[in-house]
Amino acid sequence: MSQKLVCNCNGTMPLDAKALGVPVHTSLCRQEVGSVIKAFESSDSLVIACTQESALFDELAGQSEKALVAPLRFINIREVAGWTQEAKESGPKIAALLALADMPEADPVPVVNYASEGRLLIVGSGAQALPWAEKLSTPLDVSVLCTEPSALPIARNFPIYSGKVTKLDGYLGNFSVDWDLQNPIDPEMCTRCGACVEVCPSGAIDESFQIDLDKCKSHRECVTACAGIGAINFDRVELKRSSEFDLVMDLRTDPQMRMSQTPQGYFSPGQDPFEQALVASQLLGMVGEFEKPKYFAYNEKVCAHGRNGKMGCSACIDVCSTAAITSLFKNGQGTVEVNPNLCMGCGACSTVCPSGAMRYNYPSVSHQGKELKTLAQVFVAESAKRKQSVAPSLLLHTLTSGTQALDLLGRSAHLKPKQVHGLPAYVLPYGIEHIASTGLDLWLGALSYGFGEVTLLLTGDEDPSYRAALQTQSELANAILKAYGFDSRISLIQMSSPQDVDSVSQAMGALGQRGALSAICTPASFGLSTQKRETVEAVLEHLEKQAKTPLPVGGLALPTSSFLGGLTINKEACTLCMSCVGSCPEGALLDNQDEPKLSFIEKQCVQCGICVTTCPEQVLALAPRLQTVEERKQRVDLNETKPFHCISCGKVFGTSKMVDLMLTKLSTHGAFAGAAVDRLKMCGECRVVDMVNKEL
C-alpha cells in the first residue's frame, strides 16, 4: 500500500477523513507542504490527491535528499468529485479513485525509435516560407520549396526549390518529398546574378528569378545570358525532383497531410502567424533521438484479412486515419503490415478487429480489466458501508483532451453550480490513451464487473472514422445486451471541442436526474484477456447465465457489423468442393476425411466473408447473430452428399453433385463426346489409362 496525501483544497471539498480512512489536509501546497516533504522520507510509494499542483510537488521531490522509492502518482478528486453538486455523496467514488492509484503500473511495452538531424523542409509560398527559413536556418538545416514565387534572397544560405509537390510521405527523420519543376528557371542552380533580369526585353523575370510565362515572348535572351550557369532551360525534359528530410513545415492552405493525427515531425500551421510561431518553437526541439511506445501488437496467425488471394476483413485498414496499416498479400495469404513510426496510438484498429489479431497494448485490456474490477469492487463496498446499493457508472475518456474537458467541467460546476452540472456521485471517470482504443470487449467486461453502464466521452478532436467506428461498435454491444433481455447500457457523449462544457453538463444533468442504473448481473470473477475473442466469450457466457430472456434456438439476429455469427448455405447448389474450407482463416469451416461433409463451428467464425467470396457457386451467406454459448461451440453439419465412386476402380474421387455438374457442363465438349463421356466418371488415374488404351 502507498502513502496517500489528501487535501480538501482550502476547505472547498466536504471530505470525510474517517470514511476515507486517511487524514485530510487543507493546504498541502502551501502551509502544510511540510507533510509532503516528510512523506518523501518514507520507504513507501506516495500518491497525492491533487493534480493542479503536481508540478510543485514534482519539483519538491527532485529537491528531496532521499530518492523516492517510486515515481510520484497524482489523482484528481477535486474536479470529478469534491467540486460537484453531489460532493457530499461522492465518498465511494473518491475511495475507488484512491484505490485505483494503488494499482500496479502497466507492464512496459516496446518502444519505437526516431532520429532527426534537423533537416527541415518548409513548403509554401515564398512570401510565407522564406522569412521562416531565414529565422530557422541557423539552428536547423533548412530547405524551402516555393509553391508560389517571391523575391529570393541574394545570399544562398539555404537551398530553395520551386514547383508543385506530387508526393509527401514519411515520418520524423524519414520524410520523402517529390515535386515537379514547373518553371524554365531552376532556382537550385540559379546564382541570382541578375543577368537574365537585365536582358529580358519583356520584363518577364523579376527578383523571384522565375519566368512569368504569360509575359514571356520567347526571345530567349535570358538563356544566352545564363549559358555559363545553365539554370534556364525552356526545353527541359526531366522535371521530377525528390529529396529526403527529417521535418516538414507545410504552410499551404491545402496541406498535403490532412488526417486528424499527422505523422511525428509534420506540421501544417496554415497561414496563421501565431500558429506558425508555435510550430517553429516545436521544430527547434526536434533534433536528436526520440522514442514513443509501440502501441499495438499484431498476430497474423488469426488475421482474417485474406486467404487464397481473396480479400476478407479490412476493418483496421479502413479505420486507420494515419495510413499506418497497409494490405500485404504473399503466396495468396493476406495479412496487414503496420508501420509503427506512423502509428499514433489511437487504437481504433483493435476496436474494429473481429479476430483480435490487432491488439492495443498501451496498456492491454487485461491490465485495464484489473483496474476496472478494482474500481467497481471498492465503489460497491464503500456504498454498502453507507447503507447504499448503487452500481457505478463508467465514464471512459481520452487522457489528454478528456481530462482537460472534465477539469473544465468541474471548475465550472464549482463556480456556477446552478448553471453547470458536474459528474454525479456514481459516475467514475477512467482515462485511457485514446478513446478509440476501447472496444466491445472492455465495455461488456466492465458491465460484467458490476458497472451499471458505460459512457464514452468524445471530445470532438477525434477523426470522423473513429467516431463512426465507436458508434457502430456501441450499437453492436447494445444489440447483444438486448438479445439477453437487457436494455441499452453503452452510450456516447459527443462534444464539439474539449472546451464544450455545455454538452457534458447537459449529459451529466440528465444522468443525475435519472439516477444510477442497477447492475445487469452479479459481478464476474474472471479477468479480461489480452485475446479479444477469449474475453468476449467469457463475458457472453457470464451474461447468458443471468439473461432476463433466454436466447431462442437458432439465436437472434445482430447488426451486419457483428463479428459474431454463422453461415447460411444453399444445399442444393453446393457441390461440396470445399473451397470454403481452404479459405477460412479461423478454422470455422471443416471438411471430413471419411465422407463428403461440410461442417462449421460458429464460435470460430469472425464474419470476415472470405468463404463467401471464395465459393465458386456463391451458395454461402453470412448470418450475423447471437446463439447460446453451447450452440456456438458445437460442430454442426452444413451440408453433405453421397460420395461418387470411380466406375473403373471404385475409388472415391468426388461427390455425386460434383460429377453431375461436370457431366452437365462438359458432356458436349469434344474431348468427352460419345463413349468418352464415361471418363468424367473416372478418377484421374483411370481417365489417363482409358485414354491411352483407346489410342492403342
Side-chain angles (χ1 to χ4, degrees):
M1 295 291 288
S2 61
Q3 303 177 83
K4 296 184 180 65
L5 293 179
V6 178
C7 182
N8 63 20
C9 199
N10 199 28
T12 57
M13 291 188 284
L15 302 182
D16 187 338
K18 183 178 179 181
L20 290 175
V22 294
V24 174
H25 299 267
T26 300
S27 54
L28 275 178
C29 60
R30 297 296 185 268
Q31 285 85 354
E32 295 179 271
V33 72
S35 298
V36 179
I37 296 174
K38 183 179 180 181
F40 293 156
E41 300 174 0
S42 172
S43 58
D44 295 326
S45 59
L46 179 60
V47 174
I48 301 179
C50 173
T51 53
Q52 175 177 296
E53 299 293 340
S54 58
L56 169 64
F57 297 133
D58 274 329
E59 182 180 353
L60 291 174
Q63 298 171 357
S64 175
E65 295 181 1
K66 181 180 178 181
L68 299 186
V69 296
L72 273 178
R73 297 184 69 179
F74 302 95
I75 193 158
N76 180 19
I77 63 172
R78 190 178 70 176
E79 277 78 9
V80 300
W83 274 5
T84 66
Q85 287 87 345
E86 298 184 13
K88 292 182 179 179
E89 293 80 40
S90 293
K93 178 199 292 191
I94 295 173
L97 293 175
L98 290 173
L100 178 63
D102 260 337
M103 296 291 292
E105 295 278 0
D107 293 334
V109 299
V111 296
V112 179
N113 296 306
Y114 297 90
S116 167
E117 297 176 0
R119 299 173 300 161
L120 167 66
L121 176 67
I122 304 178
V123 184
S125 67
Q128 288 273 334
L130 291 171
W132 280 115
E134 294 283 0
K135 292 182 176 69
L136 297 172
S137 61
T138 299
L140 299 173
D141 181 7
V142 176
S143 299
V144 176
L145 176 54
C146 293
T147 55
E148 298 174 23
S150 178
L152 300 184
I154 297 301
R156 290 168 53 89
N157 294 328
F158 45 82
I160 299 177
Y161 314 108
S162 69
K164 180 180 180 181
V165 178
T166 56
K167 188 187 79 168
L168 194 165
D169 56 28
Y171 47 84
L172 176 64
N174 191 31
F175 284 103
S176 177
V177 184
D178 295 350
W179 68 94
D180 286 343
L181 182 64
Q182 296 184 313
N183 198 274
I185 298 181
D186 186 345
E188 189 178 0
M189 298 178 63
C190 176
T191 62
R192 299 163 211 167
C193 65
C196 58
V197 179
E198 294 179 8
V199 302
C200 181
S202 305
I205 309 176
D206 58 17
E207 293 180 348
S208 69
F209 297 101
Q210 295 283 276
I211 298 175
D212 186 337
L213 297 176
D214 292 331
K215 294 181 180 180
C216 178
K217 305 302 181 183
S218 301
H219 296 96
R220 300 299 192 265
E221 278 88 345
C222 58
V223 177
T224 303
C226 192
I229 305 299
I232 306 177
N233 186 348
F234 283 84
D235 301 316
R236 186 180 286 108
V237 176
E238 184 52 56
L239 302 177
K240 296 188 180 300
R241 302 287 187 273
S242 65
S243 191
E244 295 182 348
F245 304 92
D246 298 317
L247 303 159
V248 176
M249 184 181 187
D250 195 338
L251 302 178
R252 293 172 294 174
T253 54
D254 186 20
Q256 195 82 8
M257 296 181 172
R258 286 174 286 182
M259 61 277 284
S260 60
Q261 290 180 292
T262 54
Q264 300 276 5
Y266 177 85
F267 301 90
S268 54
Q271 306 278 308
D272 187 337
F274 178 70
E275 293 295 330
Q276 292 177 1
L278 291 178
V279 165
S281 177
Q282 288 180 269
L283 289 169
L284 294 176
M286 301 197 74
V287 180
E289 296 184 355
F290 306 90
E291 64 181 34
K292 70 174 182 182
K294 184 180 179 184
Y295 297 101
F296 67 93
Y298 173 62
N299 180 5
E300 68 174 68
K301 292 181 179 179
V302 296
C303 180
H305 178 55
R307 196 74 174 263
N308 295 349
K310 299 290 186 179
M311 181 77 76
C313 172
S314 61
C316 61
I317 298 174
D318 298 337
V319 80
C320 180
S321 71
T322 65
I325 309 177
T326 53
S327 175
L328 183 66
F329 269 83
K330 186 176 181 181
N331 299 325
Q333 180 69 36
T335 59
V336 298
E337 190 171 54
V338 187
N339 187 327
N341 294 95
L342 287 176
C343 173
M344 297 298 287
C346 70
C349 55
S350 64
T351 297
V352 299
C353 178
S355 67
M358 196 67 72
R359 188 174 80 245
Y360 197 69
N361 217 28
Y362 191 70
S364 65
V365 169
S366 61
H367 176 81
Q368 292 174 329
K370 294 173 184 176
E371 294 191 329
L372 293 183
K373 182 185 286 188
T374 295
L375 279 174
Q377 288 176 341
V378 173
F379 182 92
V380 171
E382 291 296 321
S383 295
K385 290 179 183 178
R386 294 164 173 78
K387 309 300 182 184
Q388 301 171 352
S389 179
V390 179
S393 171
L394 181 63
L395 179 64
L396 295 171
H397 64 86
T398 300
L399 271 174
T400 51
S401 58
T403 299
Q404 177 186 350
L406 294 180
D407 284 353
L408 184 58
L409 175 72
R411 292 165 194 160
S412 300
H414 179 60
L415 297 174
K416 303 175 183 177
K418 293 184 179 180
Q419 289 84 29
V420 179
H421 299 279
L423 299 188
Y426 63 87
V427 175
L428 293 177
Y430 183 76
I432 52 182
E433 185 70 14
H434 196 290
I435 191 63
S437 69
T438 176
L440 185 142
D441 49 344
L442 189 70
W443 307 337
L444 295 182
L447 294 178
S448 72
Y449 285 156
F451 283 95
E453 62 185 325
V454 177
T455 305
L456 280 64
L457 179 63
L458 280 65
T459 52
D461 51 358
E462 304 87 5
D463 187 87
S465 64
Y466 302 161
R467 295 196 293 271
L470 290 173
Q471 182 65 47
T472 299
Q473 291 296 306
S474 66
E475 290 170 358
L476 173 58
N478 285 324
I480 291 173
L481 293 173
K482 183 179 179 181
Y484 289 129
F486 304 119
D487 50 7
S488 296
R489 296 298 179 100
I490 314 296
S491 61
L492 279 66
I493 298 174
Q494 179 64 65
M495 303 174 65
S496 59
S497 73
Q499 291 75 39
D500 178 19
V501 173
D502 290 342
S503 296
V504 191
S505 173
Q506 292 173 11
M508 293 303 112
L511 290 180
Q513 187 174 13
R514 184 207 64 194
L517 296 174
S518 59
I520 64 173
C521 60
T522 57
S525 59
F526 56 77
L528 305 189
S529 170
T530 56
Q531 304 302 317
K532 182 176 184 176
R533 301 283 296 191
E534 288 183 14
T535 293
V536 171
E537 292 297 333
V539 171
L540 293 181
E541 187 169 359
H542 184 72
L543 294 180
E544 183 180 306
K545 292 176 180 177
Q546 303 174 63
K548 288 187 175 181
T549 55
L551 290 170
V553 176
L556 288 175
L558 290 177
T560 56
S561 60
S562 174
F563 57 83
L564 302 170
L567 289 171
T568 60
I569 185 171
N570 181 344
K571 294 184 179 181
E572 296 302 318
C574 174
T575 63
L576 285 172
C577 67
M578 301 301 175
S579 296
C580 55
V581 175
S583 72
C584 181
E586 307 299 331
L589 286 162
L590 307 158
D591 59 7
N592 191 298
Q593 294 182 352
D594 300 323
E595 53 185 330
K597 181 185 293 185
L598 175 64
S599 302
F600 178 66
I601 301 176
E602 189 155 323
K603 179 182 176 182
Q604 302 298 113
C605 181
V606 298
Q607 299 285 286
C608 66
I610 297 179
C611 59
V612 176
T613 56
T614 299
C615 178
E617 310 303 332
Q618 298 296 296
V619 301
L620 293 174
L622 296 177
R625 66 189 178 194
L626 181 65
Q627 292 200 106
T628 65
V629 171
E630 193 57 36
E631 284 178 312
R632 296 179 65 247
K633 290 179 180 179
Q634 297 300 316
R635 176 170 175 158
V636 297
D637 296 332
L638 291 182
N639 197 16
E640 60 182 316
T641 189
K642 295 179 180 179
F644 190 90
H645 299 266
C646 174
I647 60 174
S648 179
C649 69
K651 182 177 67 175
V652 174
F653 75 94
T655 68
S656 298
K657 283 188 176 181
M658 187 180 297
V659 173
D660 289 343
L661 184 65
M662 282 197 300
L663 289 170
T664 301
K665 292 185 176 182
L666 299 177
S667 58
T668 57
H669 193 280
F672 302 103
V677 72
D678 284 341
R679 291 175 185 158
L680 294 175
K681 304 175 185 178
M682 299 178 186
C683 65
E685 294 175 357
C686 293
R687 193 176 302 149
V688 173
V689 171
D690 184 69
M691 292 175 66
V692 172
N693 290 336
K694 290 292 177 15
E695 290 177 1
L696 295 175

